[in-house]
Amino acid sequence: MNSNRYMKMVVGAFVCMLLTACSQQLPSEFAKSDQLPKIYPDYVEVTVPVNIAPLTFEMDDQSEEMAVRYSFGEEEIICRGEKSQPGIDDWKQLTAAAKGKAIKVETYACKDGQWTSFKPFNIHVSPDSIDAYISYRLIFPSYVSYEELTINQRCLENYDENVIYDNMLCTEGSKGQCINCHNYQQYDPNRMQFHARQNHGGTVVAYDGKVRKINMGNDSILSAGVYPTWHPELPLIVYSTNLTRQNFHINDPNKIEVYDNASDMIAYDVVKNEVTNIENDPNEFEVFPFWAPDGKMLYYCSAHFEYPDSVTNKDMFLLSHSNKVFYNIYRKTFAPATMAFGPRELVFAADSLGKSATLPRISPDGRYLMFALAEYGVFHIWHHDADLWMIDLKTGEVRPVHELNSPDTESYHSWSSNGKWVVFSSRRDDGVYTRPFITHIDENGKGTKPFELPCADPDFHRQFMKSYNIPEFMRGPVTIKPQSFADVLKGEGDPVKYVQKLSK
């Protein structure tokens, strides 16, 4: 999947022109409606970055044709055809003019030969820019064909999309591979890592031009590391180590239950290739670490769970009790000078609400902590009740982020490098596929109406049968070729050295 796919989508599309005066392209005769148009994606009254790609859309009904005028002052773009698809250059000129204000959108639709003019709406243009790139994992939601899995990167300023790594490059016959957990140090695409399981498995670390495969397996740690978080400055990655299981349900609305029957936390020194345990309490399931932006505090989630002495099958016991596993949010101090972690401190007791909290992510200014909350468990992407919540770390206020949530799943989320935007995965469209939505966050932690990732063809997501997992912002693109990653994975991994304590 690449930029050629998007180019093919716009072949045959109608022409949109930047104009400075009224154009005859708009219908001259029409009925007026006091209703807002029903469009897909829903971009009515959204707030967008000044550098975002054009917001294309279509009527969400059986209209035969549509005409749209995007305008600010005397500048306007007029589109007419089956879909509204402004040209990138014209759109950038219009958003630059409307920076800090709003683009007026007037929509006309023709049905049964009759044109209707709908109530105008605004697209608010924030002066706050957004990181130029995001990356995400694309996967079929059914898990039936997980081998057709890629990590992709997308330019938010246009529609260009490229593959960072393709799972199939290391799949050999019946020997498949599964990739996950891409992560970057301070949004830097030159300092990244991802993990591969099964065939040619290992952890790939790219650090300032050098790409290595790390064999994280060691008798002193529970498993190879997942759910990584890079220290903001040091060559240090914290992972959780998990014994993960999953079950598929027939009648439960949450079709898949993914859970851990054990999990710990480890710290890995990228330069020294050393690893150590941070937490390995068998009665605590630690997961989802995340560094505070100053690098002096590590946040994470943990569930307290004790197996009775009589239990012989931990998997079956935990599965039958999975709806009683609740994760709270904790943090530990960290001293960069001594590489030492302090005792844990409770940040948010989700279990006191009969809930489970996961995926703590902190804004770059250290003020806000966003997390996912659901009825129970650890893998909220499969829970339809999962919502996003926010903690104001300055005041201690905890609240559901109603302005971002929908009746369906909200899960993986990531802050932009300037702290003004959040991208998150949501199943609000159809309850099956996760798609990226973006929202602006103001100085008071309030979000605007989320907008769906713009595509050259507004109907693309309705036709695309993969989910977007783990959206992460990046300052630029990864330039290492997919085959280069595959060549490294096919080689032997450097075995980690276990130490009792990391040293400076």
mmCIF file of all heavy atoms in Angstrom, residues 12 17 23 39 86 114 116-117 159 204 238 243 280 306 333 341 344 351 355 366 371 387 435 486:
data_model
loop_
_atom_site.group_PDB
_atom_site.id
_atom_site.type_symbol
_atom_site.label_atom_id
_atom_site.label_comp_id
_atom_site.label_asym_id
_atom_site.label_seq_id
_atom_site.Cartn_x
_atom_site.Cartn_y
_atom_site.Cartn_z
ATOM 1 N N GLY A 12 -10.220 10.625 -12.466
ATOM 2 C CA GLY A 12 -11.603 10.817 -12.888
ATOM 3 C C GLY A 12 -12.393 11.734 -11.971
ATOM 4 O O GLY A 12 -13.556 12.013 -12.227
ATOM 5 N N MET A 17 -11.349 24.367 -8.268
ATOM 6 C CA MET A 17 -10.526 25.526 -8.594
ATOM 7 C C MET A 17 -10.599 26.562 -7.475
ATOM 8 O O MET A 17 -11.645 26.752 -6.851
ATOM 9 C CB MET A 17 -11.019 26.166 -9.899
ATOM 10 C CG MET A 17 -10.894 25.247 -11.118
ATOM 11 S SD MET A 17 -11.472 26.042 -12.632
ATOM 12 C CE MET A 17 -13.225 26.169 -12.254
ATOM 13 N N SER A 23 -18.688 31.807 -8.712
ATOM 14 C CA SER A 23 -18.546 30.944 -9.889
ATOM 15 C C SER A 23 -19.901 30.373 -10.285
ATOM 16 O O SER A 23 -20.751 30.119 -9.449
ATOM 17 C CB SER A 23 -17.569 29.800 -9.583
ATOM 18 O OG SER A 23 -17.652 28.821 -10.590
ATOM 19 N N ILE A 39 -23.012 14.206 5.889
ATOM 20 C CA ILE A 39 -21.846 13.910 5.066
ATOM 21 C C ILE A 39 -20.974 12.853 5.739
ATOM 22 O O ILE A 39 -21.043 12.633 6.949
ATOM 23 C CB ILE A 39 -21.005 15.183 4.803
ATOM 24 C CG1 ILE A 39 -20.501 15.771 6.128
ATOM 25 C CG2 ILE A 39 -21.819 16.197 4.025
ATOM 26 C CD1 ILE A 39 -19.530 16.931 5.952
ATOM 27 N N PRO A 86 -11.061 18.755 -2.738
ATOM 28 C CA PRO A 86 -10.239 19.917 -3.079
ATOM 29 C C PRO A 86 -8.805 19.520 -3.426
ATOM 30 O O PRO A 86 -8.258 18.562 -2.875
ATOM 31 C CB PRO A 86 -10.263 20.761 -1.793
ATOM 32 C CG PRO A 86 -11.448 20.267 -1.027
ATOM 33 C CD PRO A 86 -11.587 18.824 -1.369
ATOM 34 N N GLN A 114 -33.517 17.353 -8.373
ATOM 35 C CA GLN A 114 -33.791 18.566 -7.598
ATOM 36 C C GLN A 114 -32.598 18.895 -6.703
ATOM 37 O O GLN A 114 -32.148 18.079 -5.902
ATOM 38 C CB GLN A 114 -35.040 18.373 -6.730
ATOM 39 C CG GLN A 114 -35.316 19.501 -5.748
ATOM 40 C CD GLN A 114 -35.644 20.804 -6.443
ATOM 41 O OE1 GLN A 114 -36.511 20.846 -7.317
ATOM 42 N NE2 GLN A 114 -34.962 21.886 -6.061
ATOM 43 N N THR A 116 -30.740 20.845 -3.605
ATOM 44 C CA THR A 116 -31.062 21.385 -2.285
ATOM 45 C C THR A 116 -29.820 22.035 -1.696
ATOM 46 O O THR A 116 -28.727 21.469 -1.748
ATOM 47 C CB THR A 116 -31.558 20.278 -1.332
ATOM 48 O OG1 THR A 116 -32.744 19.685 -1.872
ATOM 49 C CG2 THR A 116 -31.867 20.844 0.047
ATOM 50 N N SER A 117 -29.994 23.219 -1.143
ATOM 51 C CA SER A 117 -28.919 23.913 -0.444
ATOM 52 C C SER A 117 -29.088 23.708 1.053
ATOM 53 O O SER A 117 -30.158 23.991 1.609
ATOM 54 C CB SER A 117 -28.960 25.415 -0.761
ATOM 55 O OG SER A 117 -28.089 26.129 0.080
ATOM 56 N N TYR A 159 -1.655 12.860 1.213
ATOM 57 C CA TYR A 159 -2.202 11.518 1.381
ATOM 58 C C TYR A 159 -1.150 10.425 1.181
ATOM 59 O O TYR A 159 -1.481 9.246 1.086
ATOM 60 C CB TYR A 159 -3.354 11.285 0.391
ATOM 61 C CG TYR A 159 -4.410 12.363 0.421
ATOM 62 C CD1 TYR A 159 -4.626 13.174 -0.692
ATOM 63 C CD2 TYR A 159 -5.192 12.574 1.549
ATOM 64 C CE1 TYR A 159 -5.599 14.162 -0.686
ATOM 65 C CE2 TYR A 159 -6.167 13.563 1.569
ATOM 66 C CZ TYR A 159 -6.365 14.357 0.447
ATOM 67 O OH TYR A 159 -7.330 15.324 0.462
ATOM 68 N N VAL A 204 13.696 -5.241 16.953
ATOM 69 C CA VAL A 204 14.502 -4.440 16.036
ATOM 70 C C VAL A 204 14.648 -3.041 16.615
ATOM 71 O O VAL A 204 13.651 -2.378 16.916
ATOM 72 C CB VAL A 204 13.859 -4.373 14.643
ATOM 73 C CG1 VAL A 204 14.646 -3.418 13.738
ATOM 74 C CG2 VAL A 204 13.800 -5.757 14.022
ATOM 75 N N VAL A 238 11.931 1.201 28.401
ATOM 76 C CA VAL A 238 11.224 0.371 29.381
ATOM 77 C C VAL A 238 10.131 -0.405 28.664
ATOM 78 O O VAL A 238 9.418 0.156 27.819
ATOM 79 C CB VAL A 238 10.641 1.210 30.528
ATOM 80 C CG1 VAL A 238 9.727 0.365 31.417
ATOM 81 C CG2 VAL A 238 11.768 1.819 31.361
ATOM 82 N N LEU A 243 2.987 -12.725 29.627
ATOM 83 C CA LEU A 243 2.517 -14.039 29.174
ATOM 84 C C LEU A 243 1.064 -13.849 28.758
ATOM 85 O O LEU A 243 0.153 -13.891 29.591
ATOM 86 C CB LEU A 243 2.649 -15.084 30.289
ATOM 87 C CG LEU A 243 4.086 -15.372 30.771
ATOM 88 C CD1 LEU A 243 4.079 -16.478 31.822
ATOM 89 C CD2 LEU A 243 4.987 -15.755 29.599
ATOM 90 N N ASN A 280 8.872 -7.319 39.327
ATOM 91 C CA ASN A 280 8.569 -8.724 39.004
ATOM 92 C C ASN A 280 7.837 -9.417 40.147
ATOM 93 O O ASN A 280 8.140 -10.554 40.501
ATOM 94 C CB ASN A 280 9.848 -9.483 38.617
ATOM 95 C CG ASN A 280 10.894 -9.474 39.728
ATOM 96 O OD1 ASN A 280 10.727 -8.770 40.732
ATOM 97 N ND2 ASN A 280 11.950 -10.244 39.562
ATOM 98 N N GLU A 306 -4.080 -12.640 42.708
ATOM 99 C CA GLU A 306 -3.426 -13.767 43.372
ATOM 100 C C GLU A 306 -4.128 -15.069 42.989
ATOM 101 O O GLU A 306 -5.355 -15.163 43.053
ATOM 102 C CB GLU A 306 -3.443 -13.585 44.886
ATOM 103 C CG GLU A 306 -2.684 -12.359 45.361
ATOM 104 C CD GLU A 306 -2.639 -12.260 46.880
ATOM 105 O OE1 GLU A 306 -2.711 -13.316 47.545
ATOM 106 O OE2 GLU A 306 -2.526 -11.132 47.400
ATOM 107 N N THR A 333 9.424 7.191 40.673
ATOM 108 C CA THR A 333 10.448 8.178 40.394
ATOM 109 C C THR A 333 11.636 7.487 39.727
ATOM 110 O O THR A 333 11.846 6.276 39.880
ATOM 111 C CB THR A 333 10.921 8.872 41.677
ATOM 112 O OG1 THR A 333 11.429 7.885 42.582
ATOM 113 C CG2 THR A 333 9.785 9.647 42.327
ATOM 114 N N PHE A 341 15.220 3.433 40.144
ATOM 115 C CA PHE A 341 13.780 3.666 40.257
ATOM 116 C C PHE A 341 13.373 3.657 41.727
ATOM 117 O O PHE A 341 13.904 2.876 42.526
ATOM 118 C CB PHE A 341 12.992 2.586 39.514
ATOM 119 C CG PHE A 341 13.141 2.638 38.021
ATOM 120 C CD1 PHE A 341 14.144 1.922 37.386
ATOM 121 C CD2 PHE A 341 12.286 3.401 37.250
ATOM 122 C CE1 PHE A 341 14.287 1.963 36.006
ATOM 123 C CE2 PHE A 341 12.421 3.456 35.868
ATOM 124 C CZ PHE A 341 13.427 2.729 35.251
ATOM 125 N N ARG A 344 6.737 2.478 44.103
ATOM 126 C CA ARG A 344 5.574 2.887 43.322
ATOM 127 C C ARG A 344 4.634 3.757 44.130
ATOM 128 O O ARG A 344 4.559 3.652 45.363
ATOM 129 C CB ARG A 344 4.839 1.666 42.773
ATOM 130 C CG ARG A 344 3.972 0.923 43.759
ATOM 131 C CD ARG A 344 3.203 -0.180 43.043
ATOM 132 N NE ARG A 344 2.202 -0.799 43.913
ATOM 133 C CZ ARG A 344 1.344 -1.715 43.504
ATOM 134 N NH1 ARG A 344 1.355 -2.139 42.249
ATOM 135 N NH2 ARG A 344 0.455 -2.222 44.348
ATOM 136 N N ASP A 351 -9.941 0.614 40.221
ATOM 137 C CA ASP A 351 -10.692 -0.487 40.837
ATOM 138 C C ASP A 351 -11.697 0.007 41.865
ATOM 139 O O ASP A 351 -12.686 -0.669 42.149
ATOM 140 C CB ASP A 351 -9.747 -1.516 41.449
ATOM 141 C CG ASP A 351 -8.843 -0.945 42.531
ATOM 142 O OD1 ASP A 351 -8.878 0.281 42.775
ATOM 143 O OD2 ASP A 351 -8.077 -1.724 43.142
ATOM 144 N N LYS A 355 -13.657 -0.371 37.756
ATOM 145 C CA LYS A 355 -13.213 -0.214 36.378
ATOM 146 C C LYS A 355 -11.744 -0.620 36.250
ATOM 147 O O LYS A 355 -11.068 -0.912 37.235
ATOM 148 C CB LYS A 355 -13.379 1.243 35.920
ATOM 149 C CG LYS A 355 -14.777 1.800 36.045
ATOM 150 C CD LYS A 355 -15.702 1.278 34.967
ATOM 151 C CE LYS A 355 -17.056 1.977 35.018
ATOM 152 N NZ LYS A 355 -17.966 1.483 33.953
ATOM 153 N N GLY A 366 3.643 17.813 30.445
ATOM 154 C CA GLY A 366 3.529 17.138 31.732
ATOM 155 C C GLY A 366 2.256 17.420 32.491
ATOM 156 O O GLY A 366 2.093 16.958 33.629
ATOM 157 N N PHE A 371 -5.888 8.367 29.434
ATOM 158 C CA PHE A 371 -5.867 6.909 29.529
ATOM 159 C C PHE A 371 -7.190 6.339 29.054
ATOM 160 O O PHE A 371 -8.166 7.078 28.848
ATOM 161 C CB PHE A 371 -5.562 6.451 30.964
ATOM 162 C CG PHE A 371 -6.586 6.862 31.997
ATOM 163 C CD1 PHE A 371 -7.584 5.987 32.395
ATOM 164 C CD2 PHE A 371 -6.542 8.120 32.580
ATOM 165 C CE1 PHE A 371 -8.520 6.347 33.352
ATOM 166 C CE2 PHE A 371 -7.487 8.506 33.540
ATOM 167 C CZ PHE A 371 -8.475 7.618 33.925
ATOM 168 N N ASP A 387 -13.590 3.949 26.917
ATOM 169 C CA ASP A 387 -13.615 5.390 26.681
ATOM 170 C C ASP A 387 -12.268 5.992 27.068
ATOM 171 O O ASP A 387 -11.469 5.378 27.783
ATOM 172 C CB ASP A 387 -14.703 6.068 27.524
ATOM 173 C CG ASP A 387 -16.091 5.894 26.926
ATOM 174 O OD1 ASP A 387 -16.191 5.734 25.693
ATOM 175 O OD2 ASP A 387 -17.071 5.911 27.700
ATOM 176 N N ARG A 435 -10.290 3.187 13.378
ATOM 177 C CA ARG A 435 -9.775 4.183 12.439
ATOM 178 C C ARG A 435 -9.239 5.367 13.230
ATOM 179 O O ARG A 435 -9.720 5.662 14.328
ATOM 180 C CB ARG A 435 -10.880 4.619 11.478
ATOM 181 C CG ARG A 435 -11.422 3.442 10.645
ATOM 182 C CD ARG A 435 -12.476 3.880 9.651
ATOM 183 N NE ARG A 435 -12.917 2.751 8.834
ATOM 184 C CZ ARG A 435 -14.074 2.112 8.972
ATOM 185 N NH1 ARG A 435 -14.920 2.503 9.904
ATOM 186 N NH2 ARG A 435 -14.392 1.110 8.174
ATOM 187 N N ALA A 486 13.921 -6.408 7.115
ATOM 188 C CA ALA A 486 13.765 -7.852 6.951
ATOM 189 C C ALA A 486 15.122 -8.549 6.965
ATOM 190 O O ALA A 486 15.272 -9.625 7.569
ATOM 191 C CB ALA A 486 13.021 -8.160 5.657
#
